[in-house]
Amino acid sequence: MDGPLAGVKVLEFTEIIAAPLAGMLLSDMGANVTKIEPPWGDPWRSTQPCSPTDSRPFIAYNRGKKDVTLDLGFDVSKEIVKKLLVDVDVVLVNYRPDVALNLGVDYESLSKVNPRIIYCEVTAFGRSGDDSLKPGYDLIIQGMSGLMNAEAKIVDGTPQHISSSPLVDTTAGFSLAWLICAALFSRERTGLGQKIETTLMGTALALMGMRYVQVESLDAENRLETLNVLHSLRSADVAFADIMNIYQAGHPPVPGHIYYRAYATSNGAITVGCLSDPLRKQLLQVLGVTDIRFEDGYDPLDAESIAFGEELVRSVEKMFLEKTTEDWLNIMETNGIPAGPVRYVEEVFDDPQVIANNLTVDVEHASLGTVRMVGPLATFSETPLRASPISALGQHTDEVLLELGYTEENLEEWRKLGIIR
């Protein structure tokens, strides 16, 4: 059986992470995705390379696509794009707005050729405002959105970005796939194509969730006071680490944070997640400790509460060090408390639960052989998803151009000129 997006044709003008990931997700759902790269390749191919033209980061976001090399700076390339557009459903772009325009792959140009296209672009900051034409990557957006400071991770006086995952880019990729599916559904009802715009900045704000919520009647005055303090400290050239200490003092954590965190054990680490009072009280019972937060009149900002919370954390951390991870997991499971082991990435490939749910798949790469990576993230009972092979740089250039009616002589000439690889 075919996937839910079988028959949908996608043309990608993408690089790095967000939009390539979206194209891969659409491919997993059955879409026919063709990625257009310059002859020298997506710049992501040269990061952590595992062959002269491939890298682990590129592979992670680009399986299941036909790969065509084309230098869009040539007039003949623009003509080829117009031919490809005739029966395309979706165009996916993540260049800066001015770059897309200069290359002739902006919405206005492409929709004249095919008005039914769903044109989806992600920019760093959006098309309006002073920053609209600036480049922006995950790291930069983490800093500008407040996400980096919200982590409060300071090393040698410098804020540290969240580096275990490009979380803004990744979330934007999922958002793009979601938006495209909605636009395709709308077109089924109305017959109209349209342009979709989304931003990395908006994605970062959405990721902060409850941290990016302001209740005007409760928070406006405090926010203004915080802004005034920050501005005055910056004007006085106060060191960032000192500013951060002052800022965190105004946002104190809840004392006695023992319910939703990781703990070191005698042979590893474990996570415990108690997000309701019944679960919190169950954990207290298992550990044999009390918490004054459940007493009448508890004030989290009271000096006694803070001191009690600090001691509670120290004592519980010591308890967890007295047993193995396996012992604690058995105890938590027996008592209905959500918990799990802290693993290293290399261990997860062989995890029985991951394997049982096909969350890791083996796919073939044209030159590298078998690649093990994350699989499709859902199952459809009637239109199953599947992970398709990974293409080499320019692997389908000849195939696609010959199907458009060009000749071997054309291809040879363009290869000499550097238009194709």
Side-chain angles (χ1 to χ4, degrees), residues 146-172:
L147 186 61
M148 190 184 297
N149 274 346
E151 283 284 286
K153 293 178 180 177
I154 310 297
V155 176
D156 295 330
T158 303
Q160 302 299 296
H161 74 284
I162 302 165
S163 59
S164 59
S165 166
L167 73 170
V168 178
D169 280 337
T170 302
T171 307

CSV table of all heavy atoms in Angstrom, one decimal, residues 146-172:
chain,number,residue,atom,x,y,z
A,146,GLY,N,15.4,34.4,23.7
A,146,GLY,CA,15.3,34.2,25.1
A,146,GLY,C,15.5,32.8,25.6
A,146,GLY,O,15.6,32.5,26.7
A,147,LEU,N,15.4,31.9,24.6
A,147,LEU,CA,15.5,30.4,25.0
A,147,LEU,C,16.8,30.1,25.6
A,147,LEU,O,16.8,29.3,26.6
A,147,LEU,CB,15.3,29.6,23.7
A,147,LEU,CG,15.2,28.1,23.8
A,147,LEU,CD1,14.0,27.7,24.7
A,147,LEU,CD2,15.0,27.5,22.5
A,148,MET,N,17.9,30.6,25.1
A,148,MET,CA,19.2,30.3,25.7
A,148,MET,C,19.3,30.8,27.2
A,148,MET,O,19.8,30.0,28.0
A,148,MET,CB,20.3,30.9,24.9
A,148,MET,CG,21.7,30.4,25.2
A,148,MET,SD,23.0,31.3,24.3
A,148,MET,CE,22.6,30.8,22.6
A,149,ASN,N,18.9,32.0,27.4
A,149,ASN,CA,19.0,32.5,28.8
A,149,ASN,C,18.0,31.8,29.7
A,149,ASN,O,18.2,31.7,30.9
A,149,ASN,CB,18.7,34.0,28.8
A,149,ASN,CG,20.0,34.8,28.6
A,149,ASN,OD1,21.1,34.3,28.7
A,149,ASN,ND2,19.8,36.1,28.3
A,150,ALA,N,16.9,31.3,29.2
A,150,ALA,CA,15.9,30.6,30.0
A,150,ALA,C,16.5,29.3,30.6
A,150,ALA,O,16.0,28.8,31.6
A,150,ALA,CB,14.7,30.3,29.2
A,151,GLU,N,17.5,28.7,29.9
A,151,GLU,CA,18.2,27.5,30.4
A,151,GLU,C,19.1,27.9,31.6
A,151,GLU,O,19.4,27.0,32.4
A,151,GLU,CB,19.1,26.9,29.3
A,151,GLU,CG,18.3,26.2,28.3
A,151,GLU,CD,17.8,24.8,28.8
A,151,GLU,OE1,18.7,23.9,28.9
A,151,GLU,OE2,16.6,24.7,29.1
A,152,ALA,N,19.5,29.1,31.7
A,152,ALA,CA,20.4,29.5,32.8
A,152,ALA,C,21.7,28.7,33.0
A,152,ALA,O,22.1,28.4,34.1
A,152,ALA,CB,19.6,29.5,34.2
A,153,LYS,N,22.2,28.3,31.8
A,153,LYS,CA,23.5,27.5,31.8
A,153,LYS,C,24.6,28.5,31.5
A,153,LYS,O,24.7,28.9,30.3
A,153,LYS,CB,23.4,26.4,30.9
A,153,LYS,CG,22.4,25.3,31.3
A,153,LYS,CD,22.3,24.2,30.2
A,153,LYS,CE,21.2,23.2,30.7
A,153,LYS,NZ,21.1,22.1,29.7
A,154,ILE,N,25.5,28.8,32.4
A,154,ILE,CA,26.6,29.7,32.3
A,154,ILE,C,27.9,29.0,32.5
A,154,ILE,O,28.0,28.3,33.5
A,154,ILE,CB,26.5,30.9,33.2
A,154,ILE,CG1,25.1,31.5,33.2
A,154,ILE,CG2,27.5,31.9,32.9
A,154,ILE,CD1,24.7,32.1,31.8
A,155,VAL,N,28.8,29.1,31.6
A,155,VAL,CA,30.2,28.5,31.8
A,155,VAL,C,31.2,29.6,31.5
A,155,VAL,O,31.2,30.2,30.4
A,155,VAL,CB,30.4,27.3,30.8
A,155,VAL,CG1,31.8,26.8,31.0
A,155,VAL,CG2,29.4,26.2,31.1
A,156,ASP,N,32.0,29.8,32.5
A,156,ASP,CA,33.0,30.9,32.4
A,156,ASP,C,32.4,32.2,32.0
A,156,ASP,O,33.0,33.0,31.1
A,156,ASP,CB,34.1,30.5,31.4
A,156,ASP,CG,34.9,29.3,31.9
A,156,ASP,OD1,35.0,29.1,33.1
A,156,ASP,OD2,35.4,28.5,31.1
A,157,GLY,N,31.3,32.5,32.5
A,157,GLY,CA,30.6,33.8,32.3
A,157,GLY,C,29.9,33.9,30.9
A,157,GLY,O,29.5,35.0,30.6
A,158,THR,N,29.8,32.8,30.2
A,158,THR,CA,29.2,32.9,28.9
A,158,THR,C,28.0,31.9,28.8
A,158,THR,O,28.1,30.8,29.3
A,158,THR,CB,30.2,32.4,27.8
A,158,THR,OG1,31.3,33.3,27.9
A,158,THR,CG2,29.6,32.5,26.4
A,159,PRO,N,26.8,32.4,28.3
A,159,PRO,CA,25.7,31.5,28.2
A,159,PRO,C,26.0,30.4,27.2
A,159,PRO,O,26.6,30.5,26.2
A,159,PRO,CB,24.6,32.4,27.6
A,159,PRO,CG,25.3,33.5,26.9
A,159,PRO,CD,26.6,33.7,27.7
A,160,GLN,N,25.4,29.2,27.5
A,160,GLN,CA,25.7,28.0,26.7
A,160,GLN,C,24.4,27.6,25.9
A,160,GLN,O,23.3,27.6,26.5
A,160,GLN,CB,26.1,26.8,27.6
A,160,GLN,CG,27.3,27.1,28.4
A,160,GLN,CD,28.5,27.4,27.5
A,160,GLN,OE1,29.0,26.5,26.8
A,160,GLN,NE2,29.1,28.6,27.6
A,161,HIS,N,24.5,27.4,24.6
A,161,HIS,CA,23.3,27.1,23.9
A,161,HIS,C,23.0,25.6,24.1
A,161,HIS,O,23.8,24.8,24.5
A,161,HIS,CB,23.5,27.4,22.4
A,161,HIS,CG,24.4,26.5,21.6
A,161,HIS,ND1,25.8,26.5,21.8
A,161,HIS,CD2,24.2,25.5,20.8
A,161,HIS,CE1,26.3,25.6,21.0
A,161,HIS,NE2,25.4,24.9,20.4
A,162,ILE,N,21.8,25.2,23.8
A,162,ILE,CA,21.3,23.8,23.8
A,162,ILE,C,21.9,23.1,22.6
A,162,ILE,O,21.5,23.4,21.5
A,162,ILE,CB,19.8,23.8,23.8
A,162,ILE,CG1,19.2,24.6,25.0
A,162,ILE,CG2,19.3,22.4,23.9
A,162,ILE,CD1,17.8,24.9,24.9
A,163,SER,N,22.9,22.3,22.9
A,163,SER,CA,23.6,21.7,21.7
A,163,SER,C,23.4,20.3,21.5
A,163,SER,O,23.8,19.7,20.5
A,163,SER,CB,25.1,21.9,22.0
A,163,SER,OG,25.5,21.2,23.2
A,164,SER,N,22.6,19.6,22.3
A,164,SER,CA,22.4,18.2,22.1
A,164,SER,C,21.5,17.9,20.9
A,164,SER,O,21.5,16.9,20.3
A,164,SER,CB,21.7,17.5,23.3
A,164,SER,OG,20.5,18.2,23.6
A,165,SER,N,20.7,18.9,20.5
A,165,SER,CA,19.8,18.9,19.4
A,165,SER,C,19.6,20.3,18.8
A,165,SER,O,19.5,21.2,19.6
A,165,SER,CB,18.5,18.3,19.8
A,165,SER,OG,17.5,18.5,18.8
A,166,PRO,N,19.6,20.4,17.5
A,166,PRO,CA,19.2,21.7,16.9
A,166,PRO,C,17.7,21.8,17.0
A,166,PRO,O,16.9,21.7,16.1
A,166,PRO,CB,19.6,21.5,15.4
A,166,PRO,CG,19.5,20.1,15.2
A,166,PRO,CD,19.9,19.4,16.4
A,167,LEU,N,17.2,22.1,18.3
A,167,LEU,CA,15.8,22.0,18.6
A,167,LEU,C,14.9,23.0,17.8
A,167,LEU,O,13.8,22.7,17.5
A,167,LEU,CB,15.5,22.0,20.1
A,167,LEU,CG,15.6,23.4,20.8
A,167,LEU,CD1,15.1,23.2,22.2
A,167,LEU,CD2,17.1,23.9,20.8
A,168,VAL,N,15.4,24.2,17.5
A,168,VAL,CA,14.6,25.2,16.8
A,168,VAL,C,14.4,24.7,15.4
A,168,VAL,O,13.3,24.7,14.8
A,168,VAL,CB,15.2,26.6,16.9
A,168,VAL,CG1,14.4,27.6,16.1
A,168,VAL,CG2,15.3,27.0,18.3
A,169,ASP,N,15.5,24.4,14.7
A,169,ASP,CA,15.5,23.9,13.3
A,169,ASP,C,14.6,22.6,13.2
A,169,ASP,O,13.8,22.5,12.3
A,169,ASP,CB,16.9,23.6,12.8
A,169,ASP,CG,17.6,24.8,12.4
A,169,ASP,OD1,17.0,25.8,12.1
A,169,ASP,OD2,18.9,24.8,12.4
A,170,THR,N,14.8,21.7,14.1
A,170,THR,CA,14.0,20.4,14.1
A,170,THR,C,12.5,20.7,14.2
A,170,THR,O,11.7,20.1,13.5
A,170,THR,CB,14.5,19.5,15.2
A,170,THR,OG1,15.9,19.3,15.0
A,170,THR,CG2,13.8,18.2,15.1
A,171,THR,N,12.2,21.5,15.2
A,171,THR,CA,10.7,21.8,15.4
A,171,THR,C,10.2,22.5,14.2
A,171,THR,O,9.0,22.3,13.8
A,171,THR,CB,10.5,22.6,16.7
A,171,THR,OG1,11.2,21.9,17.8
A,171,THR,CG2,9.1,22.7,17.0
A,172,ALA,N,11.0,23.4,13.6
A,172,ALA,CA,10.5,24.1,12.4
A,172,ALA,C,10.2,23.1,11.3
A,172,ALA,O,9.3,23.3,10.5
A,172,ALA,CB,11.5,25.2,12.0
